[in-house]
């Protein structure tokens, strides 16, 4: 399947080892800038996706541009972090050594699906062979955080605004050499369904048992990234803030929030926002039959545009 | 001066090249998780300090513990980022390749001073020989961000609280082989003076021309690090939020805040805080003879304890 003899990593980024089935693998030491009850680990996952796309597609995603030289960004459209097989992002701490296996497949057109399996280095699961794509989607590798990122290339359509981003293709980008995601696992469907329904709720689910409406103003001092867009990891921070707000409204202490484990995080990105934009946020929650909280969060710009929808499944100790 | 044959970096961290005068050097590619109008780059600088201390002192700072096995953390006491010689943190973006030179010296007892020179890879300044300690403190290497970090080892004194942190020494830590910082450049004096004066203001300076009093509640969803302490980079985020609040009170738009360059950042860390602690923040500003804003920020816990004091010198376009 491989036609590129791309270097396994760029100067200044940690090197990969590439296996025969096109999984890229490396070890990462967890530092203070990579973990905690914040979105730093999520930010790392995003960088790892960009690294894996760079290695798989023979381009530099950090400097991608269209044929006219206008910047093109590898945007996150759907981001899932499943952590219910024995390792969660919340338990990662300084000095942990992780083995990260990453694979990029085509999901049609210029869009890409990147999968990461994150395990503790030395764990048995980290020593076994990498799964196929179908195997990944069983989410059953023990002690493994399963991450899927659906990415598309975008650029600004107007100067000095993050509204109205449009699709674009970087010069020299090719994905036709990549394995194609099986229809059953296409992130395109998940993304389209969540957009259509304005969330992940299905009609069969119980009605929300708690809810809250909030406002959040996008901050020029904390939320944007190095190209001035609302940073994809900030969406997770804003969602976590909404979840914490709901938590407090239910009389639960910060301690129990800090002790929670998020078994599944899903986030669909539908638009971007500018500094000072005020977001209307709706957060609702119900408890599933396993006793875990299922929390849905919807972010809208005040011009009515849907910014993002998210779902988290959260395990926590009600006595903490 | 060198008695350790420490490995130049640990598995999972980017490798260093060590020069004869004990500067450690490497190239870093700037990713989305490392830059922007937020504290991500500051967080990287902190990790680079921990890496440099690990390489210089032959221990693993990410897993340091006292002889009884209790965790010990390499805490930031004073953090300065000077960026007035042609490169600033605000201009860093995706794909920039930086050369980072780092040197660790003793500043008495178990405390350490780490210096970083950060330049664009390929710049002339990056090719020249590394400066001595006195040379570093001239801050005149062109196109260079000069960073100094004063660190001490600390641990919790009580279970489940970030108040009352105490000094501690990790097992197997030695610094007597390190060069010692000249008295003229001791960060200990800066730290002690700023603590005594509750800030960086001196009597000779003009009175503040603008000011604001604010409250900030430490957030369980965003501000803590992977060991549950208020993350050192979050202090910078809180200070930046206070600066932005002052900015808005002066009728300046977010656009001009995003276009500013911070020529000098100084922050003294005096205590830590818990999630939900409410901080009293005072921010004042005067304009110096060069037309730059000099902004002072003081953070206090509501129990009266001084948490941190900070100063920034900010250049901005008043017509932006």
């Amino acid at each position: 399947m491989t036609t590129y003899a791309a270097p396994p990593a760029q100067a200044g980024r940690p090197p990969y080892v590439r296996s025969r089935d096109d999984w890229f693998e490396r070890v990462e030491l967890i530092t203070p800038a990579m973990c905690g009850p914040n979105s730093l680990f999520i930010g790392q996952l995003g960088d790892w996706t960009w690294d894996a796309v760079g290695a798989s597609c023979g381009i530099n995603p950090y400097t991608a541009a269209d044929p006219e030289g206008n910047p093109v960004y590898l945007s996150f459209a759907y981001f899932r972090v499943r952590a219910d097989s024995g390792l969660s992002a919340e338990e990662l701490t300084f000095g942990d050594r992780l083995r990260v296996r990453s694979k990029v497949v085509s999901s049609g057109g210029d869009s890409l699906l990147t999968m990461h399996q994150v395990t503790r280095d030395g764990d048995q699961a980290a020593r076994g062979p990498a799964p196929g794509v179908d195997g990944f989607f069983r989410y059953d590798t023990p002690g493994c955080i399963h991450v899927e990122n659906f990415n598309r290339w975008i650029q600004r359509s107007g100067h000095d605004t993050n509204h109205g981003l449009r699709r674009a293709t970087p010069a020299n980008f090719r994905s036709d050499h990549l394995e194609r995601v099986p229809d059953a696992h296409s992130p395109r469907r998940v993304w389209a369904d969540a957009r259509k329904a304005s969330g992940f709720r299905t009609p069969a689910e119980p009605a929300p048992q708690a809810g809250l409406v909030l406002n959040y103003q996008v901050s020029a001092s904390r939320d944007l990234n190095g190209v001035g867009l609302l940073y994809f990891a900030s969406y997770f921070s804003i969602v976590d803030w909404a979840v914490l707000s709901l938590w407090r409204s239910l009389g639960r202490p910060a301690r129990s929030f800090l002790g929670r484990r998020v078994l599944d995080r899903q986030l669909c990105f539908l638009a971007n926002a500018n500094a000072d934009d005020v977001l209307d946020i709706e957060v609702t929650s119900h408890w599933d039959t396993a006793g875990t909280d299922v929390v849905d969060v919807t972010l809208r710009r005040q011009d009515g545009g849907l910014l993002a929808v998210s779902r988290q499944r959260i395990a926590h100790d009600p006595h903490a």
Side-chain angles (χ1 to χ4, degrees), chain A:
Chain A
M1 303 293 290
T2 307
T3 56
Y4 287 102
Q10 307 194 53
R13 293 292 298 157
Y16 277 122
V17 173
R18 181 181 197 152
S19 70
R20 263 173 307 183
D21 46 1
D22 281 336
W23 285 83
F24 291 86
E25 190 169 316
R26 67 187 181 199
V27 170
E28 294 272 357
L29 180 73
I30 294 294
T31 65
M34 299 168 74
C35 64
N38 48 55
S39 294
L40 293 172
F41 182 67
I42 294 281
Q44 292 302 310
L45 293 172
D47 281 0
W48 298 345
T49 288
W50 282 34
D51 287 340
V53 167
S56 299
C57 300
I59 63 158
N60 181 348
Y62 298 103
T63 57
D66 67 16
E68 287 74 45
N70 303 304
V72 179
Y73 308 112
L74 185 62
S75 156
F76 293 88
Y78 174 58
F79 203 118
R80 184 175 201 176
V81 183
R82 254 190 93 148
D84 54 359
S85 77
L87 181 67
S88 71
E90 287 71 32
E91 68 200 82
L92 298 177
T93 189
F94 305 173
D96 285 348
R97 227 173 230 110
L98 302 180
R99 185 160 296 270
V100 183
R101 281 173 170 167
S102 309
K103 185 183 172 90
V104 180
V105 298
S106 166
S107 47
D110 291 339
S111 66
L112 301 167
L113 171 69
T114 303
M115 294 160 281
H116 304 286
Q117 283 200 321
V118 180
T119 51
R120 291 193 184 278
D121 186 34
D123 262 17
Q124 199 56 43
R127 290 200 203 98
V133 173
D134 283 322
F136 174 91
F137 282 99
R138 282 196 298 271
Y139 303 114
D140 61 358
T141 302
C144 178
I145 301 176
H146 293 80
V147 181
E148 49 198 281
N149 287 171
F150 174 42
N151 290 84
R152 304 197 280 204
W153 298 96
I154 56 99
Q155 65 183 185
R156 285 193 173 86
S157 63
H159 184 65
D160 220 27
T161 178
N162 297 335
H163 298 185
L165 300 179
R166 66 179 174 211
R167 305 283 293 276
T169 304
N172 305 317
F173 174 73
R174 275 188 55 210
S175 60
D176 52 3
H177 61 294
L178 296 174
E179 198 175 322
R180 179 145 182 153
V181 63
D183 277 348
H185 305 305
S186 170
R188 194 180 283 276
R189 188 181 38 78
V190 179
W191 183 86
D193 288 351
R195 182 171 69 161
K196 193 171 166 198
S198 296
F200 291 93
R201 287 186 55 79
T202 59
E205 289 176 346
Q209 289 151 299
L212 208 56
V213 171
L214 299 161
N215 283 131
Y216 181 89
Q217 184 173 34
V218 174
S219 172
S221 68
R222 205 160 187 182
D223 292 331
L224 306 187
N225 66 17
V227 297
L229 294 165
L230 180 57
Y231 182 35
F232 85 89
S234 297
Y235 290 72
F236 284 91
S237 291
I238 297 166
V239 165
D240 282 349
W241 171 79
V243 173
L244 174 62
S245 301
L246 182 68
W247 208 270
R248 298 168 77 92
S249 79
L250 296 172
R252 298 177 186 169
R255 190 185 331 113
S256 86
F257 182 82
L258 291 170
R260 81 198 189 288
R261 283 189 310 130
V262 183
L263 305 177
D264 198 1
R265 279 183 168 84
Q266 292 172 280
L267 204 153
C268 271
F269 302 79
L270 301 162
N272 205 275
N274 295 322
D276 287 357
D277 280 354
V278 175
L279 309 181
D280 290 325
I281 301 181
E282 190 183 354
V283 47
T284 60
S285 179
H286 70 268
W287 291 267
D288 70 11
T289 49
T292 51
D293 287 11
V294 180
V295 185
D296 289 289
V297 181
T298 307
L299 311 183
R300 286 180 193 279
R301 291 199 308 244
Q302 291 200 320
D303 64 11
L306 196 57
L307 195 71
V309 297
S310 171
R311 168 166 281 194
Q312 296 188 354
R313 284 200 302 117
I314 305 175
H316 67 101
D317 177 359
H319 307 296

